[in-house]
Amino acid sequence: MSENSNLIYVLNGPNLNLLGLREPEIYGYDTLDDIAGMLEDRARELGLEIEMRQTNHEGMLVDWLQEAQAEGAKAVLLNAAAYTHTSIALLDAIRAIKTPVVEVHLSDPSKREEFRHISYVGMAAANTVQGHGAKSYLIALEAVANETF
Ligand code: DQA
């Protein structure tokens, strides 16, 4: 495993490809491309590099978490979307790697339906940033840059 201390994986789970169109009253009007652009601009200023990905498939997120470690990434920002609330495989994957994972959500799941109150990702993540819309990603990036997670 070679250390690549500038590289940040930003992994996005199911339905986040529809951001901007999908329930904008909850998730806002920014698309995932808009968020990638914001992150890349800020990352450039911070001397960091963003690897932005989205998948609708749970196992793909597991593969990418393992890849982040294999690539020696500094950290992962993970919005696992609905898998947050269901996936023991993601809990195990986060525990299985040494790369720190920051859980990210646009909304605040703890203030929504009861079934969103459990977070398997949060049980293993180094930190959680939620409820700030697209800015949640930027706040998480700052935390990683400052190593305040
Ligand atoms: C979400 C919150 C989840 O509860 C939901 O399933 C999502 C998006 C968020 O970013 O607010 O798909 O992760």
Side-chain angles (χ1 to χ4, degrees), residues 13-16 19 22-23 26-27 79-85 104-109 112-113 115-116 130-131 137:
N15 302 305
L16 293 172
L19 270 186
R22 170 194 183 208
E23 300 182 274
I26 298 175
Y27 300 116
N79 185 350
Y83 293 136
T84 303
H85 316 299
V104 177
H105 301 285
L106 297 127
S107 67
D108 182 347
R112 298 179 61 195
E113 304 97 320
F115 60 81
R116 297 185 201 274
Q130 60 191 19
Y137 287 83

Side-chain angles (χ1 to χ4, degrees), residues 3-79:
E3 176 76 12
N4 184 349
S5 56
N6 295 330
L7 181 61
I8 313 290
Y9 273 60
V10 184
L11 304 181
N12 296 279
N15 302 305
L16 293 172
N17 53 315
L18 298 180
L19 270 186
L21 299 170
R22 170 194 183 208
E23 300 182 274
E25 65 287 357
I26 298 175
Y27 300 116
Y29 288 93
D30 288 314
T31 66
L32 207 56
D33 280 349
D34 293 334
I35 293 172
M38 287 184 235
L39 284 171
E40 275 156 16
D41 287 349
R42 185 64 186 131
R44 207 169 300 118
E45 292 168 357
L46 293 166
L48 298 171
E49 188 192 333
I50 298 293
E51 178 67 32
M52 183 86 171
R53 301 199 187 156
Q54 189 277 330
T55 178
N56 292 327
H57 304 277
E58 182 178 7
M60 188 63 83
L61 290 170
V62 172
D63 287 346
W64 288 345
L65 284 163
Q66 294 182 12
E67 180 188 309
Q69 163 154 283
E71 291 297 319
K74 179 182 176 73
V76 177
L77 311 189
L78 173 62
N79 185 350

